[in-house]
Amino acid sequence: MKLVRLEKVSRAYGRTFALHRVSTTFESGSATALLGGNGAGKTTLLNILATLDAPTQGEVHYDALSWAQVTRRARRSIGWVGHDPLLYANLSGAENLTFYARMYGLSDIHDLTQGLLERVGMADAHDRLVRDCSRGMVQRLTLARALLHDPALVLLDEPLTGLDRAGRADLSKLFDMLRSQGKILILSTHDLATADALCDRALFLRRGRVAHDTALTSPGDLLSAYEEYA
Amino acid sequence: MPPRFLQQTLTITAKDLRRELRSREVTTTTIFFSVVVMLVFVFSFYRDSRTAPLIFPGILWVSILFTSTLSLTRSFADERESGCLRALALIPGTSVSLYLGKLLTNLVYILTFELALLPLLVFSFEVPFFENPGAYLASLAAGTLGIAAIGTFLSAMLVHHRLRDILLPLILYPLLVPVLIASVRSTQLILTGEDLEAAYSWIRMLFGVDALVLLGAPALFGNVLSAIE
């Protein structure tokens, strides 16, 4: 997947618009931070991009495929980190990853899961039940689950929740690697410093509309923009 | 290499059974409950071996029905509590395999407590089980498959409903009336040995209903999954 394009996308719940005529593009190898206050529409936008919610108006294209075509045939190319970890509490981290790997029909599952667990800093706790893991450890496992099937589009809703400084550093390395592989990364966050460090673009949403869209070229860009647009 | 959906089905069942082996949540509850129900029925209704064929089929199937409801209500509990339905929905082809995997899991649970229940009932009612073991097992298999197939489907439909534990039996039991009538009649006919051909007709009808549900439910399960994900 090289390009995701939104054209006048709206999502209404009754008479309230969570998103209103949003048009933008996300390119391969880019990392975009979705920013805005509570209720700005960040999660709704991510849900629509993940095909977990349908736009009420407008169109979303993933390269040449429409939203409906991706929903039916190409959801595999999406990696999703939401508010919930989407992990089974009574299984260990390694068992969860193995389960999802089998569901995706992946091969070399043992090497794949071990590699991912190492990459997210969970190799030592791979056999610990998820219910016994800390919030930060669960978040690391969630990242591993989302990247397991090598998705082209990675959507992360508040991925920094519960991560300590080391976790954020690991995430930064992971982002660099994913960008170099040509993935499209989109994350929503309220953590400006980390968004500044991880992303090369910021998309500000306010009341469901795009308030500002800017490239992040130097440290500190984000803070000044946030004060003005979020 | 097995077909993809078969691999997914077995993966889901294996995951559920692994979890159950750790917690023993469903099996302990269902075996305990089925034995208690059976004991209450035996002490309430059993008079002598002459009347046993009249009451044994009803007691057997009511025990199976009540106890099955316990495991059926837990079918998607893990997915509901962890939100994993969303992650599964993003995996292509999961709708059929999720249904079949959960159905298989429920069958294992139901057959497990039936293994505990049946010998106790057969012994208590002095039922001549070994005169026609094949017919008994066919009747049991067909009825159990019907209960599990319809129950698993309804359990998914109600997974996010606040009153799911109450609604499941309310909706499930009326839908299971044909399955229960056929199961009770076939068991009764086998037990009395009066008309084995009629018993096999009921069993064939049961398998027919099972086949219809097994064709229809996976086909419709995609819509259920997209509504509940």
PDB file of all heavy atoms in Angstrom, chain B residues 62-80:
ATOM      1  N   VAL B  62     -33.654 -32.768  29.364  1.00  0.00           N
ATOM      2  CA  VAL B  62     -33.778 -31.519  30.141  1.00  0.00           C
ATOM      3  C   VAL B  62     -32.450 -31.230  30.848  1.00  0.00           C
ATOM      4  O   VAL B  62     -31.990 -30.087  30.886  1.00  0.00           O
ATOM      5  CB  VAL B  62     -34.953 -31.611  31.150  1.00  0.00           C
ATOM      6  CG1 VAL B  62     -34.885 -30.474  32.166  1.00  0.00           C
ATOM      7  CG2 VAL B  62     -36.280 -31.559  30.415  1.00  0.00           C
ATOM      8  N   SER B  63     -31.821 -32.287  31.367  1.00  0.00           N
ATOM      9  CA  SER B  63     -30.507 -32.098  32.011  1.00  0.00           C
ATOM     10  C   SER B  63     -29.494 -31.556  30.995  1.00  0.00           C
ATOM     11  O   SER B  63     -28.738 -30.623  31.293  1.00  0.00           O
ATOM     12  CB  SER B  63     -29.981 -33.419  32.577  1.00  0.00           C
ATOM     13  OG  SER B  63     -30.891 -33.964  33.473  1.00  0.00           O
ATOM     14  N   ILE B  64     -29.472 -32.156  29.804  1.00  0.00           N
ATOM     15  CA  ILE B  64     -28.521 -31.705  28.773  1.00  0.00           C
ATOM     16  C   ILE B  64     -28.818 -30.259  28.379  1.00  0.00           C
ATOM     17  O   ILE B  64     -27.909 -29.427  28.257  1.00  0.00           O
ATOM     18  CB  ILE B  64     -28.571 -32.633  27.540  1.00  0.00           C
ATOM     19  CG1 ILE B  64     -27.994 -34.005  27.904  1.00  0.00           C
ATOM     20  CG2 ILE B  64     -27.831 -32.029  26.356  1.00  0.00           C
ATOM     21  CD1 ILE B  64     -28.138 -35.055  26.817  1.00  0.00           C
ATOM     22  N   LEU B  65     -30.096 -29.952  28.209  1.00  0.00           N
ATOM     23  CA  LEU B  65     -30.469 -28.593  27.780  1.00  0.00           C
ATOM     24  C   LEU B  65     -30.063 -27.554  28.817  1.00  0.00           C
ATOM     25  O   LEU B  65     -29.414 -26.551  28.478  1.00  0.00           O
ATOM     26  CB  LEU B  65     -31.977 -28.532  27.542  1.00  0.00           C
ATOM     27  CG  LEU B  65     -32.517 -27.167  27.120  1.00  0.00           C
ATOM     28  CD1 LEU B  65     -31.982 -26.780  25.749  1.00  0.00           C
ATOM     29  CD2 LEU B  65     -34.031 -27.164  27.107  1.00  0.00           C
ATOM     30  N   PHE B  66     -30.442 -27.771  30.075  1.00  0.00           N
ATOM     31  CA  PHE B  66     -30.120 -26.793  31.116  1.00  0.00           C
ATOM     32  C   PHE B  66     -28.609 -26.618  31.259  1.00  0.00           C
ATOM     33  O   PHE B  66     -28.105 -25.508  31.379  1.00  0.00           O
ATOM     34  CB  PHE B  66     -30.704 -27.243  32.469  1.00  0.00           C
ATOM     35  CG  PHE B  66     -32.192 -27.022  32.585  1.00  0.00           C
ATOM     36  CD1 PHE B  66     -32.886 -27.416  33.724  1.00  0.00           C
ATOM     37  CD2 PHE B  66     -32.904 -26.410  31.567  1.00  0.00           C
ATOM     38  CE1 PHE B  66     -34.256 -27.210  33.832  1.00  0.00           C
ATOM     39  CE2 PHE B  66     -34.275 -26.210  31.664  1.00  0.00           C
ATOM     40  CZ  PHE B  66     -34.950 -26.618  32.799  1.00  0.00           C
ATOM     41  N   THR B  67     -27.915 -27.735  31.252  1.00  0.00           N
ATOM     42  CA  THR B  67     -26.468 -27.652  31.472  1.00  0.00           C
ATOM     43  C   THR B  67     -25.761 -27.029  30.267  1.00  0.00           C
ATOM     44  O   THR B  67     -24.819 -26.258  30.434  1.00  0.00           O
ATOM     45  CB  THR B  67     -25.903 -29.052  31.780  1.00  0.00           C
ATOM     46  OG1 THR B  67     -26.749 -29.699  32.720  1.00  0.00           O
ATOM     47  CG2 THR B  67     -24.513 -28.962  32.352  1.00  0.00           C
ATOM     48  N   SER B  68     -26.255 -27.352  29.077  1.00  0.00           N
ATOM     49  CA  SER B  68     -25.649 -26.755  27.876  1.00  0.00           C
ATOM     50  C   SER B  68     -25.747 -25.238  27.909  1.00  0.00           C
ATOM     51  O   SER B  68     -24.835 -24.539  27.459  1.00  0.00           O
ATOM     52  CB  SER B  68     -26.372 -27.236  26.613  1.00  0.00           C
ATOM     53  OG  SER B  68     -26.299 -28.618  26.501  1.00  0.00           O
ATOM     54  N   THR B  69     -26.849 -24.748  28.440  1.00  0.00           N
ATOM     55  CA  THR B  69     -27.047 -23.291  28.473  1.00  0.00           C
ATOM     56  C   THR B  69     -25.905 -22.611  29.223  1.00  0.00           C
ATOM     57  O   THR B  69     -25.472 -21.524  28.844  1.00  0.00           O
ATOM     58  CB  THR B  69     -28.397 -22.956  29.157  1.00  0.00           C
ATOM     59  OG1 THR B  69     -29.388 -23.794  28.586  1.00  0.00           O
ATOM     60  CG2 THR B  69     -28.780 -21.509  28.944  1.00  0.00           C
ATOM     61  N   LEU B  70     -25.407 -23.278  30.265  1.00  0.00           N
ATOM     62  CA  LEU B  70     -24.292 -22.709  31.042  1.00  0.00           C
ATOM     63  C   LEU B  70     -23.061 -22.504  30.166  1.00  0.00           C
ATOM     64  O   LEU B  70     -22.408 -21.458  30.230  1.00  0.00           O
ATOM     65  CB  LEU B  70     -23.920 -23.629  32.209  1.00  0.00           C
ATOM     66  CG  LEU B  70     -24.867 -23.688  33.398  1.00  0.00           C
ATOM     67  CD1 LEU B  70     -24.291 -24.618  34.447  1.00  0.00           C
ATOM     68  CD2 LEU B  70     -25.090 -22.317  33.991  1.00  0.00           C
ATOM     69  N   SER B  71     -22.735 -23.506  29.370  1.00  0.00           N
ATOM     70  CA  SER B  71     -21.531 -23.354  28.539  1.00  0.00           C
ATOM     71  C   SER B  71     -21.802 -22.438  27.349  1.00  0.00           C
ATOM     72  O   SER B  71     -20.925 -21.679  26.933  1.00  0.00           O
ATOM     73  CB  SER B  71     -21.010 -24.715  28.069  1.00  0.00           C
ATOM     74  OG  SER B  71     -21.871 -25.284  27.136  1.00  0.00           O
ATOM     75  N   LEU B  72     -23.030 -22.478  26.823  1.00  0.00           N
ATOM     76  CA  LEU B  72     -23.338 -21.627  25.661  1.00  0.00           C
ATOM     77  C   LEU B  72     -23.265 -20.140  26.010  1.00  0.00           C
ATOM     78  O   LEU B  72     -22.798 -19.333  25.202  1.00  0.00           O
ATOM     79  CB  LEU B  72     -24.720 -21.968  25.107  1.00  0.00           C
ATOM     80  CG  LEU B  72     -24.829 -23.326  24.414  1.00  0.00           C
ATOM     81  CD1 LEU B  72     -26.274 -23.689  24.136  1.00  0.00           C
ATOM     82  CD2 LEU B  72     -24.020 -23.356  23.120  1.00  0.00           C
ATOM     83  N   THR B  73     -23.701 -19.786  27.227  1.00  0.00           N
ATOM     84  CA  THR B  73     -23.644 -18.368  27.602  1.00  0.00           C
ATOM     85  C   THR B  73     -22.199 -17.871  27.721  1.00  0.00           C
ATOM     86  O   THR B  73     -21.936 -16.688  27.607  1.00  0.00           O
ATOM     87  CB  THR B  73     -24.354 -18.089  28.955  1.00  0.00           C
ATOM     88  OG1 THR B  73     -23.850 -19.012  29.905  1.00  0.00           O
ATOM     89  CG2 THR B  73     -25.844 -18.220  28.855  1.00  0.00           C
ATOM     90  N   ARG B  74     -21.268 -18.815  27.921  1.00  0.00           N
ATOM     91  CA  ARG B  74     -19.850 -18.423  28.052  1.00  0.00           C
ATOM     92  C   ARG B  74     -19.093 -18.487  26.723  1.00  0.00           C
ATOM     93  O   ARG B  74     -17.895 -18.211  26.679  1.00  0.00           O
ATOM     94  CB  ARG B  74     -19.137 -19.365  29.047  1.00  0.00           C
ATOM     95  CG  ARG B  74     -19.646 -19.311  30.472  1.00  0.00           C
ATOM     96  CD  ARG B  74     -19.298 -18.037  31.191  1.00  0.00           C
ATOM     97  NE  ARG B  74     -17.860 -17.781  31.239  1.00  0.00           N
ATOM     98  CZ  ARG B  74     -17.316 -16.608  31.514  1.00  0.00           C
ATOM     99  NH1 ARG B  74     -18.082 -15.574  31.745  1.00  0.00           N
ATOM    100  NH2 ARG B  74     -16.009 -16.457  31.549  1.00  0.00           N
ATOM    101  N   SER B  75     -19.807 -18.835  25.645  1.00  0.00           N
ATOM    102  CA  SER B  75     -19.127 -19.082  24.363  1.00  0.00           C
ATOM    103  C   SER B  75     -18.202 -17.945  23.934  1.00  0.00           C
ATOM    104  O   SER B  75     -17.077 -18.177  23.515  1.00  0.00           O
ATOM    105  CB  SER B  75     -20.154 -19.283  23.244  1.00  0.00           C
ATOM    106  OG  SER B  75     -20.891 -20.433  23.457  1.00  0.00           O
ATOM    107  N   PHE B  76     -18.706 -16.722  24.001  1.00  0.00           N
ATOM    108  CA  PHE B  76     -17.925 -15.592  23.501  1.00  0.00           C
ATOM    109  C   PHE B  76     -17.493 -14.672  24.642  1.00  0.00           C
ATOM    110  O   PHE B  76     -17.172 -13.508  24.407  1.00  0.00           O
ATOM    111  CB  PHE B  76     -18.746 -14.813  22.465  1.00  0.00           C
ATOM    112  CG  PHE B  76     -18.977 -15.599  21.202  1.00  0.00           C
ATOM    113  CD1 PHE B  76     -20.043 -16.466  21.090  1.00  0.00           C
ATOM    114  CD2 PHE B  76     -18.106 -15.494  20.139  1.00  0.00           C
ATOM    115  CE1 PHE B  76     -20.258 -17.208  19.941  1.00  0.00           C
ATOM    116  CE2 PHE B  76     -18.299 -16.236  18.980  1.00  0.00           C
ATOM    117  CZ  PHE B  76     -19.379 -17.093  18.879  1.00  0.00           C
ATOM    118  N   ALA B  77     -17.499 -15.200  25.870  1.00  0.00           N
ATOM    119  CA  ALA B  77     -17.173 -14.368  27.034  1.00  0.00           C
ATOM    120  C   ALA B  77     -15.752 -13.806  26.939  1.00  0.00           C
ATOM    121  O   ALA B  77     -15.517 -12.633  27.208  1.00  0.00           O
ATOM    122  CB  ALA B  77     -17.338 -15.173  28.307  1.00  0.00           C
ATOM    123  N   ASP B  78     -14.819 -14.646  26.521  1.00  0.00           N
ATOM    124  CA  ASP B  78     -13.420 -14.211  26.387  1.00  0.00           C
ATOM    125  C   ASP B  78     -13.293 -13.073  25.391  1.00  0.00           C
ATOM    126  O   ASP B  78     -12.595 -12.085  25.631  1.00  0.00           O
ATOM    127  CB  ASP B  78     -12.574 -15.382  25.878  1.00  0.00           C
ATOM    128  CG  ASP B  78     -11.784 -15.999  26.998  1.00  0.00           C
ATOM    129  OD1 ASP B  78     -11.943 -15.552  28.134  1.00  0.00           O
ATOM    130  OD2 ASP B  78     -11.002 -16.926  26.717  1.00  0.00           O
ATOM    131  N   GLU B  79     -13.948 -13.264  24.258  1.00  0.00           N
ATOM    132  CA  GLU B  79     -13.866 -12.251  23.199  1.00  0.00           C
ATOM    133  C   GLU B  79     -14.532 -10.951  23.655  1.00  0.00           C
ATOM    134  O   GLU B  79     -14.060  -9.859  23.338  1.00  0.00           O
ATOM    135  CB  GLU B  79     -14.535 -12.757  21.921  1.00  0.00           C
ATOM    136  CG  GLU B  79     -13.667 -13.679  21.073  1.00  0.00           C
ATOM    137  CD  GLU B  79     -13.462 -15.050  21.714  1.00  0.00           C
ATOM    138  OE1 GLU B  79     -14.258 -15.428  22.594  1.00  0.00           O
ATOM    139  OE2 GLU B  79     -12.495 -15.737  21.339  1.00  0.00           O
ATOM    140  N   ARG B  80     -15.640 -11.098  24.392  1.00  0.00           N
ATOM    141  CA  ARG B  80     -16.344  -9.903  24.870  1.00  0.00           C
ATOM    142  C   ARG B  80     -15.471  -9.154  25.876  1.00  0.00           C
ATOM    143  O   ARG B  80     -15.294  -7.941  25.766  1.00  0.00           O
ATOM    144  CB  ARG B  80     -17.668 -10.306  25.517  1.00  0.00           C
ATOM    145  CG  ARG B  80     -18.502  -9.121  25.995  1.00  0.00           C
ATOM    146  CD  ARG B  80     -19.761  -9.536  26.694  1.00  0.00           C
ATOM    147  NE  ARG B  80     -19.499 -10.193  27.952  1.00  0.00           N
ATOM    148  CZ  ARG B  80     -19.808 -11.466  28.226  1.00  0.00           C
ATOM    149  NH1 ARG B  80     -20.390 -12.205  27.309  1.00  0.00           N
ATOM    150  NH2 ARG B  80     -19.533 -11.995  29.391  1.00  0.00           N
TER     151      ARG B  80
END
